[in-house]
Amino acid sequence: MGRLGVDLYPLQSGVELARVESFGKFLGGSPANVAVAAARLGCRTALISRTGADPFGEYLRRELRAFRVDERWVTEVAAYPTPVTFCEIFPPDHFPIHFYRRPKAPDLEIHPHELDLHALRAARALWVTGTGLSAEPSRTATLAALRERAAAAGPGAFTVLDLDWRPALWDAPGEAGPLYAEALRHVTVAVGNLDECEVATGEREPYAAARALLAAGVRLAVVKQGPKGVLALAADGTTAEVPPLPVEVVNGLGAGDAFGGALAQGLLAGLDLELLLRRANAAGAIVAGRLACSPAMPYAEEIDLALATGDASIPEHPR
């Protein structure tokens, strides 16, 4: 549930945006990418979001269908254009993002009364992001969806909050901490990098941040540490920490979404915590070695290959 837009990525690496001559057009937005990533791994996925009533909106719905993501809950907003996002590509670790989401992004116009409560209760997993809390009515709708899940979802269901801290997308960034705290009360899994964990909990040291997320009410805290790998603590005391998988980085922007899709699939499959992290880590590394986000999401056999060889630099699978 949440962000959806068009990614326009340079076809020239190491070139500042003002000098880029050509771009590739891709489906984007973190929740949309996570849905695509999980679908690539065999999950039945759907997206709750909105687009403008424009050609880019139609493009995104067409792409979702092509990626086998159910788009019945992706509706149009006549008042606002479909957002676009540009990035600059300076491997291995500098990828500035430029969001064009003004005057307002349609995906922030998700209204509580439009939610399909039956579908929210029935889904085995719901994935939401912190950006959904950044403005109304999406804020109220996101919290309503989380409360509905907390009240009605079965014991084997997962509700995941990707902290997804994007201060440029908040009109009042200072509101984020209390809103994250409220959301964390209603979710079972929290995922974030060190910056995001610090905003949500005030803690930056990885183990302290994970413990703070557990104290906030989640059953599983996943802390991404960049070049140091990923850490997870579970409420039952289970702990796992895995190192990164080597890859020749092309564009790091989709790695977290690939990680998320593999994490969701692994949770639903009941994987052991360490194997879950290894597979999610490998998925993220594979996408970091590719240009785009959505079409770069790996298949299960590619994750298997990366883990078997210890190398995530795998050529992109033909779509």
Side-chain angles (χ1 to χ4, degrees):
M1 176 177 177
R3 199 161 75 248
L4 174 64
V6 176
D7 285 348
L8 294 172
Y9 284 177
L11 299 183
Q12 296 83 44
S13 181
V15 179
E16 61 185 18
L17 197 59
R19 297 183 182 277
V20 171
E21 295 182 353
S22 57
F23 298 85
K25 175 169 58 102
F26 308 100
L27 177 147
S30 181
N33 287 331
V34 170
V36 170
R40 278 273 170 95
L41 297 174
C43 295
R44 292 178 58 213
T45 66
L47 182 67
I48 302 168
S49 192
R50 307 197 74 181
T51 71
D54 52 33
F56 274 159
E58 175 53 35
Y59 162 75
L60 292 172
R61 280 184 289 277
R62 187 174 68 245
E63 286 291 278
L64 287 168
R65 291 191 294 270
F67 285 123
R68 301 182 182 275
V69 176
D70 191 329
E71 38 75 55
R72 77 181 80 174
W73 295 289
V74 179
T75 57
E76 294 182 343
V77 179
Y80 303 119
T82 300
V84 297
T85 302
F86 293 89
C87 79
E88 296 174 273
I89 300 176
F90 293 95
D93 58 3
H94 186 54
F95 306 100
I97 305 176
H98 306 269
F99 293 102
Y100 288 75
R101 291 169 58 88
R102 298 293 180 183
K104 188 179 186 182
D107 55 60
L108 293 174
E109 282 291 297
I110 301 172
H111 290 262
H113 70 271
E114 296 171 335
L115 295 175
D116 185 334
L117 299 182
H118 174 75
L120 286 168
R121 288 191 294 265
R124 292 184 62 208
L126 172 66
W127 184 284
V128 303
T129 75
T131 299
L133 303 171
S134 66
E136 294 288 7
S138 172
R139 176 181 300 163
T140 296
T142 299
L143 291 173
L146 296 179
R147 293 185 185 114
E148 183 68 24
R149 293 276 297 176
F158 298 94
T159 306
V160 185
L161 174 64
D162 179 357
L163 297 175
D164 185 44
W165 173 237
R166 305 279 186 177
L169 304 185
W170 289 69
D171 289 332
E175 297 177 347
L179 289 166
Y180 279 138
E182 172 63 19
L184 287 167
R185 294 176 53 225
H186 307 291
V187 304
T188 58
V189 182
V191 182
N193 62 31
L194 296 178
D195 290 338
E196 293 165 340
C197 289
E198 186 174 20
V199 171
T201 69
E203 299 286 353
R204 187 173 181 85
E205 193 279 323
Y207 279 89
R211 288 192 292 267
L213 290 170
L214 292 178
V218 308
R219 298 204 306 260
L220 178 65
V222 180
V223 180
K224 294 183 283 189
Q225 305 176 79
K228 293 185 177 180
V230 61
L231 161 72
L233 297 185
D236 65 3
T238 307
T239 303
E241 187 168 9
V242 302
L245 202 62
V247 65
E248 185 175 344
V249 175
V250 174
N251 182 1
L253 292 178
D257 301 334
F259 180 99
L263 181 74
Q265 186 273 332
L267 287 168
L268 293 173
L271 295 185
D272 162 84
L273 186 57
E274 182 171 339
L275 178 58
L276 172 70
L277 292 189
R278 288 190 181 281
R279 295 190 68 80
N281 229 19
I286 290 168
V287 173
R290 298 171 174 179
L291 171 65
C293 292
S294 50
M297 296 301 167
Y299 293 89
E301 58 268 25
E302 294 177 311
I303 295 175
D304 293 339
L305 178 62
L307 289 174
T309 62
D311 184 0
S313 297
I314 299 173
E316 189 167 334
H317 193 290
R319 185 171 169 186

